Each structure stands twice: as structure tokens, then as C-alpha cells.
Amino acid sequence: MYIVKQKVNGGEYYYLRKAVRNGKKVTSECVAYLGKTLEGAEMKKKEIEEKLLKQEGKGNVMAENQNNNNNEKTMVHKSLTIDELAIFCKRKGFVYPSGELYGGLGGFWDFGHLGVELKKNLKESWWKYHVYRDDLVGIDGSIITNPKVWEASGHVGSFVDVAVVCKKCKNKTKIDKHEVGKAKCDKCGGEFENKGEFNPMFVTQVGPVKDDSVKAYLRPETAQLIFADFKLIQENARMQLPFGIAQVGKSFRNEISPREFLFRSREFEQMEIEYFIEGGTSCPYMEETKGVNILVYDEHMQKAGKEAQFMDLHEAWKKGVIKTDWHAYWITQEYNWFLNLGCRAENFRIRQHCSDEKSHYAIDTWDLEYKFPMGWRELQGFANRGNFDLTQHQNYSKQSMEIMNKEQKKVLPHVVCEPSLGVERAFLVFLFEAYSQNEKGEVVLKLNPKLAPIKAAVFPIVKSEEYEAIAEKILKDLRKDWNIIYDKSGSIGRRYARNDEAGTPYCITIDDKSPSQKDITIRDRDTREQIRVKIIDLKETIRKLINGEIEFLHAGKRV
Ligand code: GAP
């Protein structure tokens, strides 16, 4: 099947057609109308192909099972392409192309009823893990700020990409300045034609009257207001070095070629920490890096054409592969956050930026990379920004950014490490890690319960006033704390399947014994085991299960 573009009354429309053999003749037949944009058309084509494959029963299931539980042996992790994930996300209500009604807009996405919950839970988990400690506080800066912030930060002058077009396949993309003349097209290997430098910051006008309005920018990173507000935050929160400031929020970049679903968007969210130290202070948390193994790919290995090597992060720092203790510590923290939420270690590695690819502010940068279906790609950056930003703001604002250290001496702190993670990239990682199929080929989204959009579904086994009254009481109670759904339509099997696909970890059933025994059953999504729990203990049991404080089969009487 193939896509064709047709012009009708000046408008362009995309159609899916297929070749049909009629005796000796091959003709073409229209299969479906695909909309007004090529991006939307490609997505719809994949949806149609997926549907047809399903009808023919040809799922490409890749078996890989790490669990010993009998029921889980029949559950397999499935590898998806990024486009297949996009289709799943649209079908289930995780993510839609933004404004699809009008053909969408490249690089912008809307999060649906499940996506918004997953994203919220992901950010909440990140915030609790990083910010609720003695040496961290958070802020929420504005998206548009005084444009001088961006002049001082170097974004107006130095935040540039080079736009290129492949001479062979016409693929439009961007490359870093250092890649000019070296980079080849990632689609066909062809040579690039240089279309010149461009600044990816979105520009807007602040003020209603054109003549008096101010040219301003939508922030391209959340980090900068942490630097601009640094003195206020440090004084008000009474922070003493070393300490960090975190921020989660939207960032905008006018990417020349947004692609690969959420991976490179024009509007996205970042979760960033600027960790400030007095130059040379050592990290007191290095014990935490011991025994933490990850694939390491430093500049030397890359230049020598060697493979990445598994290393203990503590050892990597001791041997000087990772130059600062703080860098090794923050990489450990971030890697552990993913592992604690159920990700597989073999899908992560860290890669050092080569000297010619570092950002304008960076002394040394490592990326935490993830093995996406399109290859190893940046998930999170860890830049050593030194005192570049505070020095710049000091010079531009003519105000001192120095603070007192413990000895009451004035110092200009250094950002020894800036862990900077894109919410949408983390969102993709959790979905890729969770996507599985059971023996019937049905999707089971094995998300960590803390991330799951819906924590539990409540079902009365049959429609009766008595059962429904119990269900409603349970719902009212659980909904005070979590997103819980009530599902009373279809067979129990169908209701389980619907919820497995949405990643709901627990299904609560009110059955014929519930009215007399005052208990219910809870079914676990991943093992399909069931336990009976007294209604009075239900909320506390669900809380412990979500927080991973109790094993499922120890939480009640096995059925
Ligand atoms: N403050 C440092 C900074 O912004 P970056 O490497 O440009 O550094 C940090 O971005 C992270 O933000 C990336 O590792 C990625 O997770 C996310 N990110 C950057 N550009 C993105 C885009 N266009 N779409 C989605 N996520 C993006």
C-alpha cells in the first residue's frame, strides 16, 4: 500500500491506495482518505496496516521473559517501533497529534486522558525523589521573561543549529556547527546542502501596541531562571553550599525537523536541577555510586572506534573516566530513578560529549542514553556548566551573584552538574519498557503502579443494586487519593483486558461473597493472581501495593 497526494480545488489531500491484480492487469484501488498532511497520512497508513496485520493474526512478538512467576511466563515484552508506539498512544488516549482535526502541527502533541495522568505521575515521582531532601529546593519560573536573561545566557548569540537538506533524498534536518562538512544524511547517507545557521528560540511580542512592544522569547530551557533568581532563592530558602535548585516545566524549541513522535518536539517539558558547589568541594555521597554498573562510552572510546564498556560508576570516577565525583553521583541518582521504576539496566548507557560537540556553556557533558528502537539516543544530559551562567548574569545585570560560604567568605558557586531530563523522552522510555503482550496477543502495559494512569478499576461482578452500592462506597473512598475507575460493562474478562491495556495494576471485584464476608478480590495485572481483602483494609492495602511496600501475595488471602 502506498500514499498518494492529490490536488483538489487548490487543496492537497492524501490517500492510501493499493495495487490490485485483475487477471493480467494490475490496477490501483483507493483504500482510505488519509487527511491533509503527510505526517498525519503516514500515521494513519501505519494504523490501517496494524489493523490489517491484527486481522491476519501476524503480531511480531519478541519473547523475552525475566520473571519466574508461572502466569508471567506467558507474558512477553514486545519490541515496537516508534511509529507503532505512536499509534498505540493515539488509540488508547495517551497522546494525539495536536489539533489533528485541522491536520495537526509538526512537533506539537496533546496528551489524552491516560497520557496526562502518566505524565503527571512521572513528574511527581521525579519531584519527590529529587527535591524532597535537605540540599534541594524547587521553583516554578515563567515561560516568558525579560529577554536580557537570554542575552546573558548566550542563547541569543550562541544557541544555533545549522539547517541542512540532503542533496539526494531532500530530508530536512539540523546538525551541530561542528558537524558541518562531516555529517551525512541519516536516512540515505547522502551529502547535505548547508542552508545556514538558525536560532531555534521562538520569538514573540510582549505588549498590545506594536510600537511599544518588546521582543521576547519562549524559554528554550527551564534552567535559566534558576540562575537569574539564584540569589533570591538561596537567601529565602537559606540554602548553604553545596545545594541544588530544581524546576519542572515547558520549554520550546523551533526544531527544524521535529521527528520520531515525542522524541524531538517543538513544545516539551524538562525536569532540571542546577547543583551548586564551591569550586573543588568533594561529593559526600560517593558510597551510593559503588556497585552501580552501566555501559560507559567516553570520548576516548568513541574516537578510537572502541565499544562501550560496562563499568562500576565509582570505579569509572576513581580511574578518571568520569572526571568529577559529583558527575558520577548525579548519573547514579538518575539511572537509579529509572531502574527503581522498573526499567531494564541493559537499555541504558552513558556517553561523554566529544570536545567539539559541547554546548557553549559546558566544560564536560555526559548523556544518559537509552536504546530506543531508532538506536542509542540522548535521554538526559549532565553538563558541568562551571560558573559560566552566574558570571554572565553578574556581568549583564551588574549585580553580584556571590554568596557567603560556611566560613563567611564570598564565593561564586559552580554548577558542577546539571541533570536535565525531557519529560516526554522519559514518558517514551516507560512506555517502551512496559509494553507487553499476553498469550492471546492482548496488550498488557506493565507500568510501575506509581506511574500507572489509573491505580485501580472497581467492578461489581454482576449488575445489582447491592453490589453496585458496595462498589460506589469503595470508589468514593479510594478516589480521595487516586485516579480510580468504575467499570461495569462487558464480561469480567473484557474488563480485565481493557484495564491491562491501560496499565491499571489492580482490579477490584465485588462478587457474590462480598456482601456477607465484607471483602473483595484484588487481581494483579502482571501475574493475574488474585487475593481476598477485607473492605475495611482495602485502602491501606492499595496504598502499600502502589508504594511497593508489600508483596502482592502477602497483601491478602490468595484465591
Ligand atoms: N539546560 C540544558 C539543556 O536544555 P539539552 O541537552 O538541550 O540541555 C536537555 O536538553 C534534555 O531536554 C534532553 O536530554 C532531552 O531529554 C530534552 N529535550 C531537548 N530537546 C528536546 C526536544 N526538542 N524534544 C523533546 N525533548 C527535548
Side-chain angles (χ1 to χ4, degrees), residues 293-312 316 321 345-352 366-367 369-371 376:
N293 282 291
I294 192 166
L295 266 178
V296 176
Y297 200 29
D298 71 359
E299 179 168 11
H300 169 72
M301 295 170 192
Q302 292 167 60
K303 293 219 158 129
K306 290 187 182 159
E307 297 277 300
Q309 277 176 31
F310 262 106
M311 283 191 187
D312 176 315
V321 177
E346 67 268 24
N347 290 334
F348 294 82
R349 76 173 185 189
I350 52 167
R351 188 184 72 81
Q352 188 177 25
W366 285 81
D367 284 343
E369 295 190 333
Y370 181 76
K371 207 196 286 175
W376 287 106

Side-chain angles (χ1 to χ4, degrees), residues 7 19 29 41 192 201 235 252 262 264-265 291 302 304 306 357 393 410 422 460 462 485 494 498:
K7 282 198 173 167
E29 190 174 271
F192 283 130
M201 279 198 291
E235 280 166 22
F252 301 82
L262 298 174
R264 192 174 302 289
S265 329
Q302 292 167 60
K306 290 187 182 159
E357 68 175 297
H393 287 299
K410 277 186 177 176
V462 286
I485 60 153
R494 200 53 233 130
R498 249 196 315 262

Side-chain angles (χ1 to χ4, degrees), residues 308-328:
Q309 277 176 31
F310 262 106
M311 283 191 187
D312 176 315
L313 281 165
H314 197 265
E315 285 298 302
W317 163 62
K318 283 265 165 196
K319 285 184 182 155
V321 177
I322 298 176
K323 290 195 186 58
T324 75
D325 47 358
W326 289 103
H327 239 120

Side-chain angles (χ1 to χ4, degrees), residues 50-330:
E50 199 199 40
K51 240 186 224 164
L52 291 174
L53 267 182
K54 246 190 183 167
Q55 281 165 12
E56 291 166 23
K58 286 187 197 160
N60 65 331
V61 177
M62 203 188 80
E64 177 195 311
N65 190 19
Q66 305 168 319
N67 219 304
N68 292 328
N69 184 290
N70 272 342
N71 278 329
E72 275 209 280
K73 276 205 179 115
T74 55
M75 206 89 82
V76 288
H77 175 251
K78 189 179 174 229
S79 309
L80 291 175
T81 65
I82 191 94
D83 291 337
E84 285 167 338
L85 185 71
I87 290 163
F88 170 77
C89 282
K90 187 176 164 197
R91 180 168 63 77
K92 278 308 286 182
F94 280 95
V95 185
Y96 313 113
S98 184
E100 203 202 17
L101 186 62
Y102 299 99
L105 188 61
F108 296 93
W109 300 92
D110 296 336
F111 287 78
H113 73 292
L114 294 183
V116 67
E117 293 287 335
L118 172 56
K119 202 169 167 214
K120 177 179 72 62
N121 295 340
L122 185 166
K123 289 189 282 182
E124 194 177 296
S125 162
W126 187 92
W127 192 263
K128 279 187 184 161
Y129 179 90
H130 293 88
V131 183
Y132 296 168
R133 47 187 268 176
D134 288 343
D135 58 346
L136 250 296
V137 285
I139 64 156
D140 184 14
S142 74
I143 285 167
I144 296 173
T145 185
N146 191 311
K148 290 218 169 68
V149 167
W150 303 110
E151 285 167 33
S153 70
H155 283 81
V156 172
S158 308
F159 188 49
V160 283
D161 286 319
V162 179
V164 287
V165 179
C166 173
K167 288 181 185 167
K168 223 162 128 189
C169 73
K170 306 293 170 219
N171 171 29
K172 279 189 201 151
T173 188
K174 65 163 193 187
I175 56 171
D176 285 344
K177 274 205 258 184
H178 78 275
E179 293 177 301
V180 173
K182 293 185 230 161
K184 293 264 182 294
C185 175
D186 51 355
K187 288 206 169 146
C188 73
E191 275 191 24
F192 283 130
E193 184 187 341
N194 191 335
K195 291 282 179 188
E197 290 184 357
F198 78 105
N199 189 315
M201 279 198 291
F202 280 100
V203 177
T204 187
Q205 297 293 129
V206 176
V209 184
K210 226 178 170 191
D211 294 343
D212 300 339
S213 67
V214 173
K215 178 181 168 188
Y217 305 94
L218 304 196
R219 67 181 180 199
E221 61 168 13
T222 56
Q224 239 8 265
L225 281 179
I226 295 180
F227 295 116
D229 292 345
F230 172 73
K231 284 285 285 252
L232 285 170
I233 303 163
Q234 185 270 329
E235 280 166 22
N236 290 327
R238 297 167 55 236
M239 302 306 281
Q240 289 221 325
L241 294 170
F243 70 90
I245 303 173
Q247 182 168 202
V248 174
K250 293 261 185 188
S251 290
F252 301 82
R253 294 184 194 175
N254 198 358
E255 299 283 357
I256 183 169
S257 103
R259 58 175 56 172
E260 289 159 340
F261 186 31
L262 298 174
F263 185 84
R264 192 174 302 289
S265 329
R266 288 180 165 137
E267 175 176 339
F268 55 98
E269 284 191 77
Q270 289 182 310
M271 306 189 280
E272 297 196 294
I273 295 173
E274 304 305 322
Y275 200 83
F276 299 92
I277 65 160
E278 184 175 350
T281 314
S282 54
C283 172
Y285 314 118
M286 290 310 283
E287 277 301 301
E288 296 182 32
T289 63
K290 286 187 180 162
V292 181
N293 282 291
I294 192 166
L295 266 178
V296 176
Y297 200 29
D298 71 359
E299 179 168 11
H300 169 72
M301 295 170 192
Q302 292 167 60
K303 293 219 158 129
K306 290 187 182 159
E307 297 277 300
Q309 277 176 31
F310 262 106
M311 283 191 187
D312 176 315
L313 281 165
H314 197 265
E315 285 298 302
W317 163 62
K318 283 265 165 196
K319 285 184 182 155
V321 177
I322 298 176
K323 290 195 186 58
T324 75
D325 47 358
W326 289 103
H327 239 120
Y329 166 69
W330 277 109

